[in-house]
Amino acid sequence: MKRPVLILTGALFLLTFIIVLYRVIGLEYPLLPAAPGQTWQLLINIRIVPGSEEGVLSLGLPLEHTGKTIIEERVFSGRYSFATLKQGPNRIGVWSGEGIADPQEITYGATILYGPSRNSVSRSPLIGPYRSTLNREEQKFLQELAFTWGRLEPAARLKAIAAALNGDWGASRPKDAVIRQWGELSQKYDRADIALALLTAARLPARATEGLILTEGVYNSPKRWIEVWLSRAWSNLDPETGEISEAAAALLPLAVGEMPAASVRGAEVSDIRWMLRRQVLSNWSLHFQRIIHSDHLLDRWSLFRLPQEFQLTFRILLLVPIGALIICFLRNVIGLPTFGIFMPMLMALAFRSTGLLYGTVIFVGIIGVGFLVRSVLDKFHLLLVPRLSVILTLVIACFTMLALLGNKLGLREFMAVGLIPFVILTMTIERFFVIVEELGTREALLTTAGSTAVAIITYGIIRWETLQLTFFVYPELLLTVVALQIIIGRYTGYRLSEFFRFGSLRGSS
């Protein structure tokens, strides 16, 4: 390889390395696109009907005290004003408005990342007081009931209380009169309230919590559970089932203590829904807010600055040069025959909508139908442009029929056929006919098979999300692609297919 080519490719490699290294070390970009933990999308929709007084809606917002990071929040308040308050461990969203006559739709959305659990409590919380609804005799009874568990370790004490909630007293079963009195007390109060009182009597720091179970779905009301402090971390007790969970990542707390997850004053909530949905998020997205507010030169020219609707387009577009590099390698080094460079690339992009199987069948099928029509047209000795116009019309007619068929059969892949590049397909039909005439049917079929194989390989590469994100954040990697394309362009050795093609000659010599 000549010296100017070496200097040019070396400079491109070096420039790419310097820019990427500066992003990673200087700007603290992540090396890997996968984010640790789980990401969830929370959406709360509220329909509020105003009353005669000032309406105030208080809503518990996601907390960050157990390894949860709130990446983004979005609020639509209608005609109400919105503010956030901090009250102990709670974050409260407050919507208020006066003189509003029509019902209003209020929406709150948040993106929440669950990472390794971390507790914001550095020392053991204080044991809370009994609820004011319990009289002194009831408090004294609970203390006597919990006395038998006083010598147990906190974790064992919690398990004993959880079992007692389900009627399992173990070896320390109290007298029948005590059990009967406990049953009367359980009937008098809410199960969560009486469980919280029993934990207080057992000298375990505990607090009522309202929130959601982290499963995809729509919820009309939050779930209640009790958080119990066990020496170093919070554990969760379900008062209804008596189950104990130490994995905080399975729950999303919204309100802790006496505060409800949602309350309204001076108005009426006619409908409220909490919706949870899993979301695939990358480390690049975690850095999105930092990048768009950064003053660094590379951050100011980052593709994250583009409007959201254009970002996905460029995530795909930046991989087109990678596809072209793969096609160059498969043609010049491996020796696969193709109908040029653009046809396999554009077919690979079309496969993203039609699917690989349906896209391949459609491509081969239209080539076959087009070849038959082209053979008929050859007898009329048409000029080139009119002949291509007829074939183009045929391709569009085939697309239309497939779309109608897909609509009848419910196959979206057939309805997406319009995204296949019809102009390139028209030229491919013409090229296929010419190869059959000049080199034979076998060579034409090999070229078609090679083009299909290259398109499939390219499709597998450009749909790789990790590669999409990497080139989206580091677009300077295109310089490396150019360097590799130049190296392949200078390759003048034997193609791999030629070793098989001329293998017999090598054996005879």
Side-chain angles (χ1 to χ4, degrees):
M1 191 176 296
K2 294 184 178 180
R3 185 175 179 181
V5 176
L6 289 175
I7 294 176
L8 177 58
T9 55
L12 292 174
F13 283 130
L14 181 61
L15 184 58
T16 303
F17 177 77
I18 292 174
I19 298 176
V20 171
L21 189 66
Y22 173 70
R23 287 188 190 270
V24 173
I25 297 178
L27 302 182
E28 299 181 351
Y29 277 46
L31 269 176
L32 300 176
Q38 301 176 350
T39 307
W40 290 86
Q41 190 80 21
L42 171 66
L43 183 64
I44 308 176
N45 289 328
I46 309 109
R47 180 177 174 83
I48 184 169
V49 180
S52 57
E53 303 175 1
E54 180 186 11
V56 179
L57 170 68
S58 299
L59 197 66
L61 304 182
L63 311 176
E64 291 191 340
H65 70 293
T66 53
K68 306 169 185 67
T69 302
I70 300 173
I71 302 171
E72 182 183 8
E73 289 183 295
R74 302 165 302 280
V75 178
F76 176 75
S77 304
R79 295 180 60 189
Y80 284 83
S81 59
F82 171 74
T84 56
L85 302 177
K86 192 77 168 63
Q87 182 176 323
N90 293 310
R91 291 177 63 243
I92 308 171
V94 180
W95 286 263
S96 58
E98 190 174 7
I100 301 174
D102 301 328
Q104 299 290 309
E105 299 286 342
I106 293 174
T107 302
Y108 170 84
T111 303
I112 307 163
L113 173 69
Y114 275 63
S117 179
R118 66 180 190 276
N119 289 284
S120 59
V121 181
S122 58
R123 56 192 177 93
S124 178
L126 298 176
I127 298 174
Y130 292 99
R131 287 181 177 265
S132 58
T133 52
L134 287 169
N135 58 45
R136 290 187 177 181
E137 289 76 13
E138 292 169 339
Q139 294 177 17
K140 184 178 180 181
F141 168 75
L142 291 174
Q143 291 171 0
E144 293 174 354
L145 184 62
F147 179 77
T148 56
W149 304 319
R151 295 183 179 181
L152 298 176
E153 292 294 326
R157 209 181 314 165
L158 175 60
K159 290 181 180 179
I161 293 174
L165 291 174
N166 289 329
D168 181 8
W169 298 95
S172 59
R173 178 182 175 84
K175 296 180 181 180
D176 291 341
V178 175
I179 294 178
R180 186 167 53 254
Q181 188 175 354
W182 163 254
E184 294 174 356
L185 205 60
S186 299
Q187 293 293 327
K188 182 179 178 180
Y189 296 103
D190 180 81
R191 190 174 175 89
D193 292 340
I194 197 64
L196 190 62
L198 189 56
L199 289 165
T200 301
R203 311 301 296 170
L204 287 174
R207 60 191 187 186
T209 306
E210 288 190 7
L212 303 173
I213 300 176
L214 280 177
T215 55
E216 290 189 322
V218 180
Y219 303 88
N220 294 320
S221 61
K223 178 181 176 59
R224 291 191 71 189
W225 69 89
I226 298 174
E227 291 184 338
V228 185
W229 181 260
L230 297 180
S231 301
R232 295 182 179 180
W234 292 103
S235 289
N236 304 309
L237 170 64
D238 188 336
E240 299 297 330
T241 63
E243 295 181 357
I244 300 172
S245 171
E246 297 180 358
L251 299 168
L252 174 62
L254 297 175
V256 173
E258 300 292 333
M259 177 189 160
S263 62
V264 65
R265 185 181 73 251
E268 179 185 351
V269 174
S270 62
D271 184 35
I272 180 170
R273 296 180 184 180
W274 290 264
M275 286 170 280
L276 277 175
R277 182 172 60 88
R278 279 292 304 273
Q279 184 180 19
V280 178
L281 195 66
S282 68
N283 268 337
W284 315 126
S285 298
L286 300 182
H287 286 253
F288 173 74
Q289 293 296 330
R290 184 190 64 80
I291 290 175
I292 63 175
H293 292 100
S294 173
D295 291 330
H296 291 286
L297 177 63
L298 292 181
D299 287 340
R300 291 202 306 268
W301 288 92
S302 170
L303 290 172
F304 279 114
R305 301 271 184 158
L306 293 175
Q308 192 71 30
E309 60 269 23
F310 296 115
Q311 291 188 20
L312 183 59
T313 301
F314 275 88
R315 275 177 52 176
I316 303 300
L317 191 62
L318 287 173
L319 290 191
V320 172
I322 286 285
L325 174 65
I326 297 300
I327 293 173
C328 291
F329 176 80
L330 294 175
R331 279 176 58 95
N332 291 30
V333 179
I334 304 300
L336 288 179
T338 64
F339 292 111
I341 185 175
F342 296 110
M343 192 282 290
M345 171 58 63
L346 294 176
M347 288 303 302
L349 292 174
F351 286 166
R352 294 179 56 251
S353 300
T354 62
L356 185 59
L357 177 61
Y358 286 103
T360 304
V361 171
I362 291 170
F363 168 70
V364 175
I366 292 181
I367 290 292
V369 173
F371 172 74
L372 295 177
V373 174
R374 176 63 179 84
S375 300
V376 174
L377 292 178
D378 189 57
K379 299 178 180 180
F380 295 98
H381 303 289
L382 299 179
L383 298 176
L384 176 62
V385 174
R387 185 172 66 243
L388 290 178
S389 300
V390 173
I391 298 175
L392 176 63
T393 304
L394 170 70
V395 171
I396 299 299
C398 290
F399 284 1
T400 305
M401 293 300 297
L402 286 171
L404 293 174
L405 180 62
N407 183 51
K408 289 292 184 181
L409 300 178
L411 293 175
R412 181 190 174 279
E413 293 81 2
F414 279 8
M415 289 183 280
V417 72
L419 298 176
I420 295 179
F422 53 87
V423 174
I424 296 296
L425 200 54
T426 300
M427 300 303 298
T428 301
I429 293 172
E430 178 69 18
R431 181 62 181 159
F432 181 86
F433 180 83
V434 172
I435 294 177
V436 170
E437 290 290 310
E438 295 180 353
L439 302 176
T441 304
R442 180 178 180 276
E443 192 66 28
L445 292 176
L446 287 176
T447 304
T448 304
S451 299
T452 305
V454 171
I456 292 173
I457 295 172
T458 306
Y459 165 75
I461 293 172
I462 64 175
R463 70 188 296 264
W464 187 15
E465 186 177 4
T466 300
L467 194 62
Q468 292 178 18
L469 292 169
T470 303
F471 271 77
F472 187 79
V473 180
Y474 300 122
E476 56 271 10
L477 290 174
L478 292 178
L479 299 176
T480 297
V481 174
V482 173
L484 293 174
Q485 289 170 340
I486 292 175
I487 291 174
I488 293 177
R490 293 291 301 176
Y491 178 74
T492 56
Y494 287 104
R495 297 176 180 177
L496 182 62
S497 61
E498 292 174 346
F499 285 96
F500 297 96
R501 183 180 179 184
F502 302 109
S504 58
L505 296 179
R506 182 179 57 183
S508 61
S509 60

